[in-house]
Amino acid sequence: MSNLATLSDVYVPPHIPPELVVDFDLYDPPGADTDFHAPWKALQDRSPDIVWTTANGGHWIALRGKPIHEIFEDYEHFSSKVIIVPRERGDKIKVLPTTLDPPAHRPYRALLNAGLSPRVIREMEPSVRALVIDTIESFRARGHCEFISEFAEILPISIFMRLVNLPVGDALTLKPWADQINRPDGSVSPEEVMARFADYLRPHVQARKADPGTDLLSQLVTTPVNGAPLCEAEALELCSQILIGGMDTVVSFLGFMMAFLARSPGPRRQLIENPALIHGAVEEFLRRFPIVQNGRLVVSDYVFHGVQMKAGEVVIMPGVLHGLDEREHDNPLEVDFHRKHPAHSTFGSGAHRCPGAMLARAELRITLEEWLPRIPDFEIAPGERVEMQGGIVGCVTRLPLRWDV
């Protein structure tokens, strides 16, 4: 929307009451460059439970934990056929199984579940730990690092590329493409992004079908679905979805977790003195610093929590807000490692709950287990600033840290 426009200049469908209308752009929330979560929380605090924003073509936003959770679970009224806004952009992004609804999505999801099973993740942990240690040791003696480029963009992406047995160096090409899905700058259309992923993957898919290995990519393209092998188009969609997810979410979350610890010597000391808290701390960090905003397509006219929604409209469920809802948690902005059962939607919920959640938790836990004994006291480098960015996946883009050596 133009800076010269006002809400009175913007078309709002007649069935939407004026008191539900806001102007909130999830790609560019006000102030998100320095505190990504703050504008979302401010919107939650001042607004009804469900609002209509005029930004990005107009769409609904659910602002409280209960409706967010219910939308995730209710695929009969809220379809995954469109998962991002604006609607015309979401229509052009189709990936298996994310944009399929049950029951059609289930056999494809079963492939991901098998490839990211608890057994697989347990077997990966020693190599994950070794990579964490090596990466920390590469800069520990220096006394400073730019955490995002020197750790967050190296660790999870390297682990993921090994999981799918693709050259780690190719991530330098793939990550900017994934960023254009989650935080588009308008320079590339969604069709072009998906075509780039397909062109990159096609020779790898063909090679794995001809000579499969034990990696996740081989499993995905050779395991039959509904009794038949995947066609090339299905294989490319499924593998594109895996690459997009593997390039961004853990990278982004690591930045928020470590920015908090750099600014919070008290909680940091708790984890150093009592490492047994780390398991619970990971879950509390996931509650407090979620990053993903999922979308769903309204299937038919439907009254939801007293709000009239029309078929074809899109509703966004900000994972950012479920865990920050004071109706769900006392003092939700406080990080409390002793919090019992921290409810959140950081990995989504229902049929499309993130299949990589266990791997993400393992990476976060091992990072804390190996970083804190080696670099126990660190801070934001004096005179430097932490930089963030909004989007479908919010992120820390720059995190300069320093410590005494």
Side-chain angles (χ1 to χ4, degrees):
M1 187 171 68
S2 167
N3 290 334
L4 298 179
T6 67
L7 283 180
S8 62
D9 299 319
V10 179
Y11 172 74
V12 176
H15 66 283
I16 299 173
E19 63 271 18
L20 300 185
V21 179
V22 300
D23 178 22
F24 188 88
D25 183 353
L26 68 82
Y27 294 105
D28 189 23
D33 57 333
T34 56
D35 188 344
F36 166 70
H37 296 86
W40 282 102
K41 180 58 177 168
L43 179 67
Q44 182 186 67
D45 289 345
R46 70 174 184 261
S47 305
D49 293 2
I50 300 171
V51 297
W52 174 273
T53 178
T54 56
N56 296 302
H59 61 87
W60 296 103
I61 309 176
L63 298 178
R64 294 288 175 175
K66 189 174 189 294
I68 289 171
H69 178 75
E70 289 175 359
I71 294 169
F72 271 120
E73 298 282 338
D74 185 1
Y75 60 85
E76 293 182 344
H77 291 105
F78 301 101
S79 170
S80 295
K81 291 179 182 178
V82 176
I83 56 174
I84 68 171
V85 291
R87 166 75 192 270
E88 59 268 22
R89 186 177 180 87
D91 281 334
K92 296 170 184 174
I93 297 177
K94 302 297 180 186
V95 284
L96 294 174
T98 301
T99 53
L100 283 181
D101 295 318
H105 96 295
R106 288 171 185 157
Y108 301 99
R109 175 57 187 257
L111 297 182
L112 298 182
N113 290 346
L116 294 166
S117 69
R119 178 188 61 80
V120 170
I121 304 308
R122 284 194 299 270
E123 291 175 354
M124 290 177 61
E125 283 206 14
S127 62
V128 172
R129 193 173 299 276
L131 181 58
V132 169
I133 293 170
D134 287 347
T135 307
I136 295 169
E137 291 297 335
S138 71
F139 51 69
R140 181 167 70 99
R142 189 200 312 157
H144 64 90
C145 75
E146 197 292 294
F147 181 80
I148 303 304
S149 60
E150 295 190 73
F151 187 93
E153 289 184 344
I154 293 175
L155 173 72
I157 291 177
S158 297
I159 292 167
F160 176 78
M161 295 299 274
R162 294 178 185 183
L163 182 65
V164 294
N165 192 25
L166 293 172
V168 173
D170 287 1
L172 295 174
T173 298
L174 297 172
K175 185 162 191 323
W177 299 350
D179 291 344
Q180 287 296 333
I181 297 294
N182 296 323
R183 294 175 295 277
D185 62 12
S187 64
V188 185
S189 70
E191 302 102 314
E192 185 175 352
V193 173
M194 300 312 297
R196 289 179 182 181
F197 275 109
D199 290 344
Y200 169 80
L201 281 164
R202 189 170 288 107
H204 294 290
V205 166
Q206 293 170 350
R208 305 299 164 87
K209 283 189 172 185
D211 184 20
T214 59
D215 59 279
L216 177 59
L217 199 63
S218 294
Q219 294 175 45
L220 294 179
V221 302
T222 60
T223 303
V225 171
N226 296 324
L230 294 178
C231 69
E232 183 175 270
E234 290 175 317
L236 291 174
E237 277 195 30
L238 187 62
C239 295
S240 293
Q241 170 58 47
I242 288 293
L243 286 185
I244 292 169
M247 290 292 110
D248 198 13
T249 49
V250 180
V251 175
S252 298
F253 190 85
L254 277 166
F256 288 104
M257 181 178 77
M258 294 301 283
F260 170 81
L261 288 173
R263 292 164 165 158
S264 308
R268 189 172 71 238
R269 182 56 51 186
Q270 289 182 50
L271 298 181
I272 293 168
E273 294 177 352
N274 187 1
L277 290 175
I278 287 177
H279 275 268
V282 167
E283 208 61 30
E284 176 68 348
F285 285 135
L286 289 167
R287 178 202 67 81
R288 176 60 183 83
F289 300 109
I291 55 176
V292 180
Q293 302 12 284
N294 286 281
R296 293 292 186 268
L297 182 70
V298 180
V299 174
S300 57
D301 291 3
Y302 183 53
V303 177
F304 180 68
H305 283 252
V307 173
Q308 175 66 66
M309 297 181 175
K310 294 289 188 179
E313 294 173 347
V314 178
V315 54
I316 293 291
M317 308 92 72
V320 170
L321 291 180
H322 187 169
L324 299 185
D325 188 350
E326 65 276 359
R327 299 177 192 170
E328 303 281 336
H329 302 287
D330 294 333
N331 304 314
L333 296 179
E334 176 185 342
V335 171
D336 178 2
F337 299 144
H338 299 280
R339 192 183 297 273
K340 303 297 183 184
H341 310 297
H344 58 76
S345 296
T346 299
F347 294 117
S349 185
H352 288 287
R353 180 175 172 80
C354 176
M358 186 172 181
L359 177 58
R361 285 185 168 99
E363 292 173 0
L364 299 171
R365 171 177 53 80
I366 292 170
T367 293
L368 293 175
E369 290 173 345
E370 300 301 337
W371 180 288
L372 292 175
R374 290 173 171 80
I375 308 175
D377 296 310
F378 58 98
E379 63 181 356
I380 308 298
E384 301 280 1
R385 67 193 294 263
V386 179
E387 297 175 4
M388 303 180 183
Q389 186 177 354
I392 295 296
V393 179
C395 69
V396 179
T397 58
R398 186 169 183 271
L399 179 55
L401 301 177
R402 71 166 296 277
W403 54 90
D404 293 332
V405 295

